[in-house]
Amino acid sequence: MNIAATVRAQAQDLLHFIDAGPSPWHVVHECAERLAAAGFKRLDEGERWRLPPGSRCYLTRGGSLVAFITGGNADQGLTLIGAHTDSPGLRVKPRAADESGGLWRVGVEVYGSPILATFADRDLTLAGRVNVRSGQGFASHLVRFAQPLLRLPNLAIHMNREVNEVGLKFNRQSELPLLLGLADDGASGERRFRQLIAEQCGVAPEDLLTWDLAAADTQAGSFWGPNSEFIASSRLDNLASCHAALCALLAVSADAPARAALIALFDHEEVGSESAVGAGGSLAADVIARLAASAGQDAEDQRRRLARSFFISADMAHAWHPNFPAAYEPGHHVLVNGGPVIKSNANQRYSTTADSAARFMGFCAAASVPCQHYAHRADLGCGSTIGPLVAARLGVASVDVGSPLWAMHSIRESAGVLDHAAMIAALTAALRRASAAAM
Ligand code: CO
């Protein structure tokens, strides 16, 4: 297997991107930096927008971000690519620390559906945002500890004899607190913990107000396999799709496309998307309505535009794992490094239709990349993603796609180097060619 230098560089850049994004707020920050460096202008949702044709802008709402190029012709539809910035894992509680038998621990809540056992024995740290007192109000800091800070040690096999037969299970309340240190100086765990966070923000502990902190793995992503053709990392679901969407938008940003191109990267997908910033909320619709308003379009024009629009929901797909054949639909094995996957589900857990799948196949063909089809076993519950939600709220044609992934929701997932480049190429082709394709 010969991996082209450009393909390797895209995968390497993905590892940097994931490393820069240990929390949704870090992901948004990294995207904003890259967009600003490429000349995209930051918009404030609280200000009036003036967007001449060809404007390149982005905005953030919490852990979500939308970036767009307005396009030269407001009568054409929009092409929107969606992905999500959050990953399942452990989140620190508001009153986090306690002392137990001489050790202090950090209380966590399970966010979404991680494979909890994979969080044991990892070199974890904390990352997220912290609010500190500032004048009469507060200021928000992005915070990340570089060093391994806390840990969830396994119980020794001598005390958990059945672990290899029944699997590793944790009680979510009592067995997940993360060990942080020795409670050796008489100070309360809560005080010590607050001191730690305050120091990292460079403020006094009494000025520390609130936080959104996630446990994150400190191990950087890596390549594996005889030709380094595979990627292992935290958060490939779904930062690989965020990165691919961002690369695609940046790739077409110099084109001055006639048709508007948007990417929407949403927080809260892993917990159902129903929030002020999630895909189930108003964010995408709000931005599209404001694009219409700034182009002088009325409600009728906007409906016409949406009728010509297309949404690509990019999230990871379950790669074929030969050790567990019974988990898969026999006719729909998707291979790592076999190319982008179109995900279909008759019950609309995925938004794909025969038409939208055909359209995405056209984008893959235009990009000269292969394309695979996935369906979940009919006797297993199928996961869902942002595709059906956004499609329902906007009323636009929509397809669910993704790159093949092993161990979805493990703290260390695996994917393919070739697939990432292929997904970037397919999404770039989608932003370039959508206006030429028949609806
Ligand atoms: Co996902």
Side-chain angles (χ1 to χ4, degrees), residues 25-193:
W25 308 282
H26 285 86
V27 175
V28 161
H29 178 76
E30 175 68 13
C31 290
E33 298 251 293
R34 289 178 179 225
L35 288 160
F40 281 67
K41 195 175 119 220
R42 186 180 193 110
L43 294 174
D44 182 336
E45 283 199 277
E47 301 290 327
R48 182 166 284 277
W49 294 358
R50 289 191 179 77
L51 305 171
S55 294
R56 300 182 299 161
C57 303
Y58 71 94
L59 61 131
T60 65
R61 191 188 281 188
S64 300
L65 173 142
V66 179
F68 58 83
I69 304 165
T70 53
N73 183 351
D75 281 337
Q76 291 215 13
L78 316 141
T79 306
L80 172 63
I81 301 170
H84 64 90
T85 59
D86 61 326
S87 298
L90 305 174
R91 295 288 175 87
V92 176
K93 291 175 179 172
R95 290 180 57 76
D98 73 355
E99 190 260 323
S100 181
L103 287 159
W104 38 305
R105 309 185 299 175
V106 175
V108 289
E109 216 178 329
V110 178
Y111 177 85
S113 311
I115 303 176
L116 284 173
T118 65
F119 283 67
D121 300 331
R122 304 295 303 187
D123 299 344
L124 302 178
T125 191
L126 294 177
R129 60 178 181 178
V130 173
N131 289 326
V132 302
R133 208 182 309 279
S134 172
Q136 298 302 311
F138 65 89
S140 196
H141 289 239
L142 271 184
V143 169
R144 161 192 216 159
F145 292 85
Q147 81 275 22
L149 192 66
L150 20 68
R151 197 169 195 88
L152 179 62
N154 240 305
L155 191 58
I157 196 163
H158 315 82
M159 299 158 189
N160 193 10
R161 290 283 186 192
E162 300 280 278
V163 64
N164 292 324
E165 283 67 48
V166 302
L168 181 57
K169 296 176 182 168
F170 289 97
N171 178 284
R172 290 171 173 235
Q173 173 61 31
S174 59
E175 294 173 345
L176 281 183
L178 305 173
L179 301 193
L180 187 59
L182 281 174
D184 51 1
D185 66 354
S188 82
E190 185 67 21
R191 221 180 113 213
R192 287 277 299 274
F193 184 66

Side-chain angles (χ1 to χ4, degrees), residues 149-312:
L149 192 66
L150 20 68
R151 197 169 195 88
L152 179 62
N154 240 305
L155 191 58
I157 196 163
H158 315 82
M159 299 158 189
N160 193 10
R161 290 283 186 192
E162 300 280 278
V163 64
N164 292 324
E165 283 67 48
V166 302
L168 181 57
K169 296 176 182 168
F170 289 97
N171 178 284
R172 290 171 173 235
Q173 173 61 31
S174 59
E175 294 173 345
L176 281 183
L178 305 173
L179 301 193
L180 187 59
L182 281 174
D184 51 1
D185 66 354
S188 82
E190 185 67 21
R191 221 180 113 213
R192 287 277 299 274
F193 184 66
R194 292 179 67 82
Q195 210 162 12
L196 188 72
I197 305 293
E199 258 168 43
Q200 190 70 16
C201 300
V203 301
E206 54 273 22
D207 288 331
L208 186 60
L209 297 174
T210 54
W211 56 67
D212 286 311
L213 288 170
D217 199 346
T218 51
Q219 186 183 0
S222 61
F223 297 121
W224 61 280
N227 300 296
S228 298
E229 68 268 50
F230 303 119
I231 306 170
S233 177
S234 283
R235 304 183 299 279
L236 281 165
D237 175 11
N238 189 18
L239 300 194
S241 305
C242 289
H243 182 257
L246 183 66
C247 290
L249 186 71
L250 292 175
V252 303
S253 74
D255 291 2
R259 183 178 165 107
L262 294 87
I263 63 170
L265 312 179
F266 296 103
D267 196 359
H268 294 159
E269 189 273 344
E270 298 292 355
V271 293
S273 295
E274 293 291 343
S275 75
V277 304
S282 65
L283 180 56
D286 286 347
V287 172
I288 289 171
R290 294 179 77 162
L291 287 182
S294 93
Q297 293 188 315
D298 62 15
E300 171 76 2
D301 290 336
Q302 203 191 332
R303 299 282 174 308
R304 286 172 48 235
R305 190 178 210 188
L306 284 174
R308 296 169 180 164
S309 293
F310 192 59
F311 177 51
I312 300 170

